[in-house]
Structures are given as C-alpha cells and as structure tokens.
Amino acid sequence: MSKYTEEDLEQELKTKEYEYGFYTDIESETFAKGLNEDVVRAISKKKNEPQWMTDWRIEAFRVWEKMEEPDWANVKYPKPDFQGIAYYSAPKQKPKLNSLDEVDPDLLETFKKLGISLEEQKRLANVAVDIVIDSVSVATTFKKTLGEKGIIFMPISEAIQEHPELVRKHLGTVVPTSDNFYAALNSAVFSDGSFCYIPKGVKCPMELSTYFRINEGGTGQFERTLVVADKGSYVSYLEGCTAPSRDENQLHAAVVELIALDDAEIKYSTVQNWYPGDADGKGGVFNFVTKRGICETNAKISWTQVETGSAVTWKYPSCILKGNNSVGEFYSIAVTNHHQQADTGTKMIHLGKNTKSTIISKGISAGKSQNSYRGLVHVGARAENARNFSQCDSLLMGNACGAHTFPYIEAKNKSAQIEHEATTSKIGEDQLFYCNQRGIDTEKAIALIVNGFSKEVLNKLPMEFAVEAQKLLEISLEGSVG
Amino acid sequence: MLKINNLHASIDDKSILKGLNIEVKAGEIHAIMGPNGAGKSTLANIIAGKEEYEVTDGIIELDGEDISELAPEERAHNGVFLSFQYPVEIPGVSVTNFIKTAINETRKAKGLEDMPAKDMLKMIREKSELLEIDRKFLSRSLNEGFSGGEKKRNEIFQMAMLEPKLAILDETDSGLDIDALRIVANGVNKLKSKDNAVIVITHYQRLLDYIVPDFVHVLHDGKIVKTGDASLALELEAKGYDWIKKELV
Amino acid sequence: MTKVKMELKEKIVASYVAFENDVDINSEIHDIRTEAFQNFEKLGFPTKKLEAWKYTSLNSVLKNDFSIFPNKENAIEFADVKKYFIHDIDTYKVVFIDGKYSSFLSDTTHDGKDVCLMSSALSKPKYKSVIKKYFNKIAKQDNLTSLNTAFTNEGAYIYIPKNVEVEKPIQIINFTTGNDVATMIQPRNLVVVEENAHVQIIERHQSLTDNAVLTNSVTEIFSAKNATVDYYKIQNDKDNASLVDNTFIEQKTNSVVSVHTFSFGGNITRNNLNFYQRGEHIDSILKGITIIEGKQHVDHHTLVHHIEPNCESHQDYKGIFDARSTGVFNGKVIVEKEAQKTNAYQQNNNVLVSDKATINAKPQLEIFADDVKCSHGCTIGQLDEDALFYMQQRGIPKKEGKALLMYAFANTVLESVKIPEVKQRINKLIATKLGVHIGFDL
C-alpha cells in the first residue's frame, strides 16, 4: 500500500532547497573586515553623519567592547568572529534614488525573485516599501503620498540628515546602547534601516513595509528601525527578510524600537525567512535581534511574527506597558526544521495601571531542530489591575526535534491576573487518516493541520502577509511549493 | 460495485476477519449488523484503507478493480466514503476550509480544475439546508467541541458534498437523539440514487426504520453468518444476537 | 556581603578536618565525602547569578555565625514537643535533636524492615551492600547537596524489603534547640523501598528557638518495581529557621511515588524535589500547599525527568501569599526522546493577598519526544469577589468567607493525602494560618 509517511516527508525536506537562495551579482562597496573605533568612525563618515551621531556610535562601541556575548539562550552555535565580519556593504550606485527607474535592474530582478514586484505593489497602492539590502536602504516607494499626510517614511540614514531632531530625541530611548551585547554592536555599526514618524491623530492610510536582504558574502547586517507613532495615530508596519544560501554563517543583529505615544497604536508584523542553512546544518543566518516597544497612556503595540528562517534565532519582541490602560500583544509562529534553533518569545513589562497583555505562541519543530519559547510577564508593584493571558503551544513532527518553554512570571501586585497555559502535541495518525479518507493526501493534510494549529496567529497578519506566511509554512515544512 | 471475497485481516497478529464475503451493487442499501467485537468497524476501516490492519488474504474490488493496494486518499478519490464512528477533531481548520480542500484534492486527482468559489458556495448552501445545518456551524473548527449529533450530521454533510459512489456509515446512529437521527437518515435517503450504494453498519435496528436496507447481513466472529432482507433486522432486535450464536452451534 | 559569605564557607572548610576526626575515615563512603567536600569547596554557596537561584537569595541567612557542630547533647521533654508529632496514631519515629539521634523520643524497628539511623547504616557491616548500592547514587552534585554529602553523618535510614507493607507511618523529625546562637544541621536520609513494598513517611523540621537555624537536608528515595511511597513534608517552622530540602527520587516500573509538601512557615524555605523515572508505567505525584505571610519566602523547585515511555507525572501546587511574603515556583519537566506516550501535567495557582507580596513562577517544559501529552498551567489572581459577596449575602462574614474560598482553592491538593490524621492536621494548620476557626469537614 502506498503511503506518504513522515519518513518520506523528512526525505523530501532534506532535498528541499531554499527557495530564496539566489545571489544577485550587484557591484557593491564593502569595507575591509574587522571592527575598531576607526571603522565605526568610517561608517559614520561614509554616511555623512552629524557629530552627535558619531559620538553616540562611539559610546556604544566602547560599551560593547566591555560586554560579553550572552549564552543563556537554549541555542548552540559557534560564536561569530566579530573581527571576521565586514561591517559595511552597500550596492555601489548613486546614493540617492528619486524614482524606481533609477534602481539597478539586477536589483529589481532580485525583488521579483523575492516575490515583491515593486510595480505591482505600486498598483495595489496599499503598501509602501522600503528595501534594505546589505544594510543600505535602496528604494522607498510612496514617499509622496505619505508626505501629504505628514508621515515620514524613509531610510534612517536620510532621516538623520533630514529630521535630526526627531531621530535624536527618540533613538536609543527604548533600547539603550548598553541594553545587550548585540544591541550595543548594532548601535555602533548600523548602516541603515527604516525610520517612520506618524504625526498626531493620523491614521496611516497604507501598510508600511520594509524588506531586508543580506546579499554580499562575509558581511553582517545591522539595520536599525525606529517607528514613532505620535498621539492618537495608527500605523501598521510589515517587515520581511531573506538571504542567499551560503556555506558560511551570516550575522544579522538588528534593533527595532517602537514608540507609541498616548492613544497611539502600532501593529508590527514580521515574516522572517533568512536562509536557515542546508539540511546538514551548514551555513545560515544568525538572527540576534532586539525588538522593543514602549506604550504610553492608552497606547497599544502588537507584535506579530512568523519565523521560518535563520540557523539560529534569538529574538524577544517586547512591550513596556508604561502608560495606564496600555495594551501589549505578541502573536508568534516559529517553525524550525533540519538543524535550526530558535529561542524566541516576548517580554511584557506591566508598569501602568489597567495594563493588558496577550501572548499567543505557536512553535512547530521538525527534523533535528530545537524550538524554545522564552517569555517574561512582569507585573510591577504599582501596576494595579494588570492582566495577562499567555498560551504556548508546541507541535512536534518526528522524534529528533525538541520543543521547550521557559516562561518567567513575576507578579508584585495583588490585583494582577495572570494565566499561562502550554501544551505539546503531535499530528495524530487518526487525524491524517480522517483527511486521507476525505481524499486529502498526507502532505496536504499536514499543511492543513499546521495551518489550523497556527490559525490564531495567521489571523493577526495583514492580508498581504497572511498569504505569504501560509506559503512559507508549507515550504518550510512540506517540500511542496505552494 | 463492491466485491469482497474471502477477506482475512488482523491487527497486531490478532485475527479479526476470517473469510468474509459480500457483494454490493449500485442502487443497493446493505446493513451489516452484529454484536460488539464482531469486526464491523474493522471491515469499514479496511475498505477505507486504514494502515493498522493487515489484510492477510482475500480481495477487495471496486468496480472490478482491486483497491487493496491503494492509499486511503486514492480510495476516496475513487468514491469510497466512510462516515466515522468517532470523527476526529482538527483544531483551527474550519468545516468549510476542510471540505473545500477535500473536494479540490479529489478533483485534482481526476485532472479537474478547482471548483469555482461560486459553485462551491452554492453547493454548501444546498447541502447544509438538506441536513438542516446552521451556517455558523460551518465556520467552526472541524469537530472541535461538536456534540455527538453535530459530528454525525457533519459527516453526512461531507458525504453530501463529496457525492461518493459507496458510502459506509459506521455506527452513524450512535450518539444521536431521535430528531438528529431523522435528519441524518433523511439526508442519506435523499442522496441515494440508482448509481450509488450505501453500507450501514449498526448495532441496533432503529436506524433501519429510517434507512430501509435491501439486504441485512449478520457479522459474527469475522464472517457473515446470515443474510436476509429488512425483516432479519427486526428478528434480530426481537431475539438478540444470542439467537444467532445459538443457531451456529 | 560576599566577604561575609566567604567567612561561613571558610569556617565550613576549616571544620571539615575536625569533622573527619569524628567519623570513621576508613568508612566506605570516605571517598564520597571527600569528593563532595572538594566539590563544595569549588562551588561555594549558590548566588542569584545561578539560574536555579534567580529568585531566592540565601545571603541574609548565610550572614549568621553558624556553629557547624552542636557542642553538647541536648535533651527535650516529650510533653514540650508532642504537638509537633502526629500523635493520635501509632507511628515509627526517628527523631534527632540538633542533628543527634534521640533514642528517648524515637521508636525504631528492625522487625522485618529497618527503620533506624544513618550513622549505624554507614558503620555496620550488615548494611554495607545497601549503602554501596544506593547511597549518593541519585543526589545531584550541586553546591548544597555536595555540602550535605561531605558532612553526612546522621539521618534516617529506612529499608523496606520486598512485599512488605509497613503497617504504620514513619515520622522523621529534626528538632533544633538553639542552645547555640546559630545552628546549622545537615540531615541525610536514605529510603529504599523494594519490589511491591509500601511505606508512608512524614517528615518535619522543627526549631524550638528564636535563634537562627539553617537546615540543609538531603533525602534519597529508591522505589523498586510496583512499590508505593507516600511522603509528606510538613514545613511550619519558626521565623528564623531556614530550610534547604533536597529530595531525589528514583522510580522503577509500575511504582507510584507521591510527595506532598505543606509550607506554612519558616524564614527561607527552598524545596528541591527531583524525580527520575527509570522504568515504564510509573506515576510521580508532586503536590504542595504554601500559605505564608510576614517576610517568609518559599521556593518550590521541581524536576520530573521522564526517561522511559508510558509514564505519568502530576504536579499541583497552590500558593497563598500575604504581607511581604514571596513565593517561587520553578517546575521543570523533561521528556526524553525515548519517553513516548508520556503524560505530564503541571498546575501552579497562586493568590496574592497583600500588595507587598510577590510571586515568581517559571514553569518549564523541555520536550524531545513527539507522541506525548504535556501541559502546564500557571495562574496568579485573587479570590473571586462575586463568590465572596454571595457568601456575605448568606450571612458568612467576609473573613470566614475568604478563608472558605482559600480553603476551597487549596483543597485539590489535600484530596490525595492518604493518612487521615495528616489531612486533619493540615486542615487545622490552614485554619490557624487563615486566622479563623470554622469546622472544616473532612
């Protein structure tokens, strides 16, 4: 009797190639490898930055030098050689682009392969895209439309030139330079990223989107994103990531800071599909990211992430619920396969009164991968009536992987209500047979069941991303190109 | 349509079916009755192709073709439908999404395009009305938190959507109250045509008041020991299975 | 602070030579002691930098100038301490005063089983094979367990042979008199329950003084095939008595071991409870009720290691925290790759009664097998205000209403207590703790 077994699936997965693993031959300008104060200064100079920015970087570098790489996460990997990485790589072309026509044709081809046709995006007219390749922002669309509303959406390097007062006021206020090893490193060497400012009372009319890509070999990507939603404003922000297949490990150490002032709302969605390494665990991106948002009174920050890529992920998008009645949300799907390792989760820091947080985490482990949820719910002594609900579900496929949950719960206020639930399960033989009986083959059935398992999170993604995310889930787990 | 000859099957080396014969023609309704543990559900699962059972001897033919080497989904594509005694729950997958996938996968196997959304919706509307299913019910997760009656009604709804050649109803009456039983039976009767066939597996006679069989088979110890018309079911109900057992001695 | 700690450590290190003079250095376990001592010397006392001690600091306790050995033998009258015994039923008793055996208060046996002393088990030839097979075989090599192993001298030794059902419970009680300014004791218990045998044990650490006490206890329990062990830990000590209780349990096929921990008092109480399942169809039960106030601190640190298939574990911990008290729950479940069909449940529910109380919880799952059912739940909340109002409306005063609700909250844990007198005693303790006297039904 022919049967599509989990072993068959595993076999297929082994031969499955990383779909986005092409390398674009774009002429680029790359700094020599290594890091010291001069390199930091050189990056700053290259970008023609004001003195305060240079000083800020140097300060961060000095802090970083004294720090040690953290090792508490449930991941094992060869520690990157920080002197073996080039800290600046940019596509060699005119520094500023005025329209899409000026974009390098090879680059446009890259975007097409990524599935983002800028032309198409333009027609749809509901997503503004900023594209960061190897640390440098290369194209921002819809600048004009957004400008009419007073919305600033541009590469952070440009924002430093054009809106220094805004950048200077907010940069590093949520994630200080000394926050952690990778954040300090990022602060010292970040070369670009996105900056977004939504003025008071403005509802951003379209999704803002950044696509990140590591192209050049031997480089690290250190982008910096800063989103400021002024009082009563709203923005939905999307972020996508890919990288070419390379035998070596590439380092990605980004920092994202979100600031939601009174009554503002920021929705931040990520589909992370960095190259995960091959079936034997060779190569792949080390994804060490610090993401944090701060909510003032009545503000809301919602993180949604679909994590399917990277060899090693170390990422905890967090919310500091500083203002009264503020709300933090974290919805996550993390899929690991082959030798991937993910240690991801969130921190919800309740400081204000009547603050609420929700955590929904879905981990799917296959192959020889390790998938960990690590989260903190902290209720401070003055956070009256804080509420948290957390749910962490794990799905295991095969018997060579691991699923782990490390929730930390700290309550210092008696009015706190905290609920945490976690379950672990597998796809049942009876579920597969039921689907088979209705004419659905095993591969499709697994996709269906995994999608069902992830539904609560997928539902939180903006439409454009939900489709892509579902496709990614299928690709990462099933070997069937959706 | 279905022809089973000298079927022997076992699970974990325990022999369950011991030379079973049955032939079902298009347009017929067969009832298979028997005491607990006689092998009724095993037969249903083997026809559907469940892995755990090992067929040690005999043949299963559908329209003259041996199906015993086919995967469960391939049998489904060929028109075999099993209404499960205990339908499984699939969290997060809605009834609509599930049935849409099932139909399109079956169409794909036959080399057809996906069913246009408009037709799908129309069909869902018609069939759900037939089974008196609330539309809201269709957006719920498959079988999750369904009552016994809802699960069975959902099975027959899927049967209506998939339009199988051969439907096997495994203890469809268990867990149904009298109203639900009537609705389910009514649905089955409306779906019945001269081109398809139904096998009703049941422990009790009551479902057969609503779905009247052309043949009644009594399964005992892995074999069909007695075959008759609808009146046999009534006789069984009156005399109990011990009567059959005694008769065999 | 660090300097102070070094002092106690140095004092202990210096005392080890004196300790060795007191015990038989030709003993079988001399090498084990020495190795453990070197381990402690290397590791020192745990600090908050260790993940396992993130939420519990011993600094305030370690400042005390502990005497490592009690200077003299102290006697106490039974009448003075009767209340600390489960005295309304017949039991075996192994009682220690300041770490020394009290034959006067004890009631041991060698009749078809051994309920006696660790010191004799370690020295007499007839126990040699059991000691060799079991002693220090599952105790972790961490700081405080190593310290205990290094100073192993006295404690309870319980050996239940095959098919023996012990007819009455065994009580293990450690009293401290506080004749020294600050006393540190290191009780060491070994419990071996052979195939198909059954035993019930009640353990208590009780200070009779307001002087500081630090008890660093280690208990190893081996449960062979089909054996049943019910272990009850009653912790209701004085405000200046701290306890680090390290319990290690190894279970074989079809055995059932339950440990109930009732923490109602003491200064800092740290319970390290570790289960290792080496066999199939094992059931491990870990339950606890914590009701504390003042500046008390109770930390439950549990580990259930599912190593083989078809086993279960059930954890249920309830906590009620008043005043400036702190509760910690760190529950870890590991399911190894081979441990298919594991069912592991963990529940931890807490109520904060006061604004100054703190709860830190860390329920962890580490799962390497795919066909398992594992779940954990953790809640922090308050008493149901609607239920409280409902009771008030029916004439039950708020205070009693609260007690009733808290009692109901903790009740699930009491259900599995198999000795009626223990259940009764815990009921009374809960009522006292909650400061009300209403007739709780059993």
Side-chain angles (χ1 to χ4, degrees), chain A residues 346-406:
Chain A
T346 183
K347 289 183 197 174
M348 292 291 173
I349 313 290
H350 293 256
L351 301 176
K353 290 182 179 136
N354 306 315
T355 47
K356 269 189 208 150
S357 64
T358 305
I359 299 171
I360 307 285
S361 165
K362 306 275 180 180
I364 300 154
S365 330
K368 293 187 174 131
S369 67
Q370 299 297 330
N371 202 330
S372 302
Y373 167 82
R374 185 183 304 275
L376 168 69
V377 175
H378 177 93
V379 176
R382 260 169 275 166
E384 292 289 325
N385 294 316
R387 299 278 177 275
N388 164 266
F389 174 76
S390 305
Q391 188 181 328
C392 304
D393 297 324
S394 308
L395 192 67
L396 288 120
M397 297 171 70
N399 204 20
C401 52
H404 318 282
T405 48
F406 304 97

Side-chain angles (χ1 to χ4, degrees), chain C residues 48-222:
Chain C
K48 287 185 101 165
K49 277 187 187 159
L50 291 173
E51 180 66 23
W53 291 83
K54 184 180 164 77
Y55 294 118
T56 298
S57 167
L58 291 176
N59 284 358
S60 62
V61 174
L62 298 175
K63 290 197 294 224
N64 288 295
D65 186 21
F66 288 109
S67 64
I68 312 295
F69 316 110
N71 291 327
K72 54 175 190 268
E73 302 233 352
N74 296 304
I76 40 182
E77 288 300 320
F78 180 67
D80 296 337
V81 293
K82 188 182 167 197
K83 60 179 175 185
Y84 301 119
F85 288 83
I86 304 289
H87 51 77
D88 28 18
I89 47 166
D90 192 17
T91 57
Y92 291 113
K93 299 171 194 74
V94 195
V95 182
F96 306 92
I97 300 170
D98 295 329
K100 291 219 157 55
Y101 176 59
S102 164
S103 57
F104 176 65
L105 293 173
S106 297
D107 179 3
T108 60
T109 184
H110 292 288
D111 182 14
K113 56 199 166 271
D114 294 306
V115 177
C116 59
L117 303 184
M118 195 64 166
S119 55
S120 52
L122 290 175
S123 57
K124 290 184 185 163
K126 72 174 218 188
Y127 301 109
K128 209 167 161 178
S129 64
V130 175
I131 292 294
K132 196 167 177 190
K133 189 167 172 195
Y134 295 107
F135 179 78
N136 208 43
K137 287 293 181 286
I138 48 172
K140 250 187 226 164
Q141 307 303 310
D142 66 7
N143 340 35
L144 293 170
T145 305
S146 294
L147 175 61
N148 177 288
T149 305
F151 285 86
T152 292
N153 187 26
E154 195 54 285
Y157 172 85
I158 296 169
Y159 181 84
I160 315 297
K162 216 167 157 176
N163 300 326
V164 172
E165 184 157 337
V166 184
E167 72 283 8
K168 54 187 182 186
I170 300 166
Q171 298 196 63
I172 305 171
I173 305 187
N174 281 284
F175 288 111
T176 34
T177 60
N179 288 349
D180 289 297
V181 177
T183 314
M184 182 173 181
I185 58 165
Q186 318 252 12
R188 177 72 172 224
N189 307 316
L190 178 62
V191 179
V192 178
V193 186
E194 294 287 14
E195 266 181 51
N196 213 25
H198 181 190
V199 65
Q200 297 180 319
I201 299 169
I202 303 153
E203 180 199 275
R204 183 161 192 156
H205 301 274
Q206 189 62 51
S207 164
L208 304 172
T209 169
D210 290 330
N211 285 341
V213 173
L214 174 58
T215 304
N216 178 35
S217 173
V218 172
T219 304
E220 289 179 285
I221 301 171
F222 294 85

Side-chain angles (χ1 to χ4, degrees), chain B residues 137 146-154 174-177 180 184:
Chain B
F137 172 88
F146 284 19
S147 69
E150 284 173 329
K151 281 185 182 170
K152 295 300 167 72
R153 223 187 290 182
N154 177 34
S174 70
L176 291 189
D177 62 32
V184 163

Side-chain angles (χ1 to χ4, degrees), chain A residues 115-379:
Chain A
I116 0 161
S117 146
L118 292 183
E119 295 301 323
E120 198 183 323
Q121 298 281 7
K122 211 170 174 179
R123 267 201 308 277
L124 283 168
N126 60 354
V127 179
V129 191
D130 183 17
I131 290 157
V132 179
I133 290 201
D134 290 347
S135 314
V136 173
S137 185
V138 291
T140 305
T141 59
F142 290 108
K143 217 169 178 173
K144 199 163 160 265
T145 325
L146 294 170
E148 284 161 8
K149 292 244 175 196
I151 295 167
I152 304 167
F153 180 45
M154 57 171 58
I156 198 160
S157 56
E158 281 176 36
I160 290 168
Q161 309 293 336
E162 292 177 29
H163 305 278
E165 72 300 332
L166 268 178
V167 177
R168 197 174 178 178
K169 185 177 169 194
H170 295 290
L171 189 71
T173 56
V174 189
V175 180
T177 49
S178 59
D179 189 78
N180 68 67
F181 184 84
Y182 300 109
L185 178 63
N186 174 287
S187 303
V189 304
F190 80 84
S191 32
D192 218 333
S194 296
F195 173 77
C196 170
Y197 172 79
I198 317 292
K200 268 181 206 163
V202 171
K203 308 269 172 232
C204 185
M206 61 185 76
E207 310 276 353
L208 300 185
S209 173
T210 303
Y211 263 85
F212 295 111
R213 178 163 177 85
I214 302 178
N215 200 44
E216 203 59 26
T219 60
Q221 175 141 330
F222 306 94
E223 82 274 351
R224 183 109 194 168
T225 303
L226 176 60
V227 179
V228 182
D230 212 327
K231 288 179 184 172
S233 67
Y234 167 84
V235 62
S236 170
Y237 199 97
L238 318 176
E239 175 193 86
C241 331
T242 58
S245 311
R246 287 186 186 283
D247 285 347
E248 74 208 22
N249 293 114
Q250 285 173 295
L251 178 63
H252 174 247
V255 172
V256 175
E257 292 178 284
L258 307 185
I259 295 163
L261 298 177
D262 294 359
D263 303 302
E265 179 177 349
I266 302 176
K267 207 171 139 86
Y268 197 100
S269 313
T270 304
V271 173
Q272 184 266 108
N273 187 29
W274 296 118
Y275 179 54
D278 68 11
D280 299 319
K282 200 168 183 206
V285 171
F286 290 161
N287 192 32
F288 304 139
V289 175
T290 307
K291 290 183 167 178
R292 195 177 302 154
I294 189 161
C295 288
E296 299 290 347
T297 306
N298 297 325
K300 177 176 174 181
I301 288 179
S302 179
W303 297 100
T304 306
Q305 59 173 26
V306 177
E307 301 275 320
T308 60
S310 299
V312 179
T313 298
W314 180 99
K315 180 180 170 190
Y316 315 93
S318 307
C319 298
I320 300 169
L321 304 173
K322 181 176 162 228
N324 294 344
N325 313 315
S326 58
V327 177
E329 293 175 340
F330 175 74
Y331 301 98
S332 170
I333 302 169
V335 181
T336 54
N337 196 358
H338 301 310
H339 291 263
Q340 280 177 276
Q341 306 173 68
D343 193 304
T344 184
T346 183
K347 289 183 197 174
M348 292 291 173
I349 313 290
H350 293 256
L351 301 176
K353 290 182 179 136
N354 306 315
T355 47
K356 269 189 208 150
S357 64
T358 305
I359 299 171
I360 307 285
S361 165
K362 306 275 180 180
I364 300 154
S365 330
K368 293 187 174 131
S369 67
Q370 299 297 330
N371 202 330
S372 302
Y373 167 82
R374 185 183 304 275
L376 168 69
V377 175
H378 177 93
V379 176

Side-chain angles (χ1 to χ4, degrees), chain A residues 1 431 434 436-439, chain B residues 75-77 82 89 155 158:
Chain A
M1 203 170 282
Q431 286 178 322
Y434 187 87
N436 290 161
Q437 209 296 309
R438 298 295 139 92
Chain B
R75 298 179 195 212
H77 299 158
L82 170 61
E89 298 180 358
E155 290 292 282
Q158 289 184 38

